[in-house]
Amino acid sequence: MTDSTPTVVLVHGAFADASSFARVVPELQADGLKVLVPAVPNRSLTGDAAYLASVVRAVPGPVVLVGHSYVGAVITVAGTEANVQALVYLAGYALEEGESLGELQGRFPDSELASALVYTPFPVEGSDEPGTDVTVDPDRFPEIFAADVDPDLARVLAVSQRPLAGAAFAEAAPVAAWKTKPSWGLVSSADRTINPDVERYGYERAGMTTVEVDSSHLVMLAHPQEVADVIRAAVLSLGTE
């Protein structure tokens, strides 16, 4: 492999961590691709995008940037980095410039997730006002987030969630990388976490190449082959070996 070989950067979303991609990584590595699976702070849209951009800048050569769920919004911002050659959205939010998660989601009926969210205060350094962490009720997590994932694994995921700070929902995207980068979108058509129409709308607006998979929100664990195929299409579009 050389610096011209694309690196696939796989980025988890809210209420999950890098292990979300445990079944996709071997698929891509078997193709001879370089893979990186960083952790995201899940503290704010622009803060998470700045962190992810710093990770991407440290990667030599071209990057295919893949974001799940909330991190679709993050790659929309971080994807403007010069070495990002393609974007892949997995059951994710494709924001317009100047749009927030709350605004995009508010155009459509709520998913089942809305009634299962848990709000917990956390201390914010340098402030007397606490922040708010958002998680999913662990008892409802398997059915809403991971209905077609192995039940034993889903129960583990339910108690090992990575929270998302509530502030991230109201923050507007300052840029939209899909305007200048080729993009692919995967819709989880059985999604009970994000209304699938939110995914479809964002992808169609961006003019993405779109596929639909009959899957829960955690499509990477439930259908790794289909996810890997979408990523492969993005890689092949670069025309590099």
Side-chain angles (χ1 to χ4, degrees):
M1 290 184 290
T2 68
D3 280 356
S4 66
T5 303
T7 297
V8 179
V9 179
L10 304 169
V11 196
H12 69 85
F15 322 132
D17 61 23
S19 67
S20 302
F21 290 98
R23 298 186 67 194
V24 175
V25 170
E27 293 265 352
L28 301 177
Q29 289 180 331
D31 291 347
L33 291 167
K34 296 181 284 188
V35 181
L36 180 63
V37 195
V40 182
N42 283 354
R43 298 294 82 190
S44 71
L45 175 56
T46 55
D48 292 341
Y51 174 77
L52 182 56
S54 73
V55 172
V56 167
R57 282 195 298 273
V59 176
V63 165
V64 174
L65 188 56
V66 182
H68 177 239
S69 189
Y70 155 68
V71 167
V74 177
I75 70 170
T76 295
V77 180
T80 57
E81 287 298 310
N83 59 332
V84 174
Q85 301 296 300
L87 303 169
V88 179
Y89 291 75
L90 304 175
Y93 295 101
L95 298 183
E96 173 62 276
E97 184 176 335
E99 183 178 56
S100 71
L101 284 167
E103 288 170 338
L104 174 56
Q105 196 162 262
R107 293 191 174 99
F108 299 89
D110 284 341
S111 69
E112 292 178 52
L113 175 70
S115 65
L117 294 175
V118 177
Y119 302 93
T120 308
F122 69 89
V124 177
E125 186 176 358
S127 174
D128 294 331
E129 293 294 322
T132 301
D133 264 342
V134 184
T135 53
V136 183
D137 180 342
D139 290 336
R140 298 185 63 192
F141 181 99
E143 63 178 280
I144 291 175
F145 212 75
D148 51 358
V149 174
D150 175 82
D152 291 336
L153 175 57
R155 284 190 289 271
V156 172
L157 298 174
V159 297
S160 55
Q161 297 176 50
R162 195 179 183 103
L164 176 65
F169 288 98
E171 207 172 347
V175 293
W178 49 257
K179 290 179 181 289
T180 56
K181 308 290 175 83
S183 304
W184 282 254
L186 183 151
V187 175
S188 288
S189 59
D191 203 330
R192 297 160 72 178
T193 297
I194 299 177
N195 183 333
D197 285 339
V198 174
E199 302 165 21
R200 294 183 184 105
Y201 174 82
Y203 301 166
E204 182 177 348
R205 178 174 61 181
M208 293 186 195
T209 302
T210 303
V211 301
E212 300 220 3
V213 178
D214 183 13
S215 175
S216 72
H217 192 58
L218 272 179
V219 63
M220 308 89 73
L221 286 172
H223 300 278
Q225 179 72 52
E226 289 90 334
V227 169
D229 284 346
V230 176
I231 296 169
R232 288 180 182 117
V235 171
L236 287 172
S237 77
L238 307 186
T240 56
E241 294 289 331

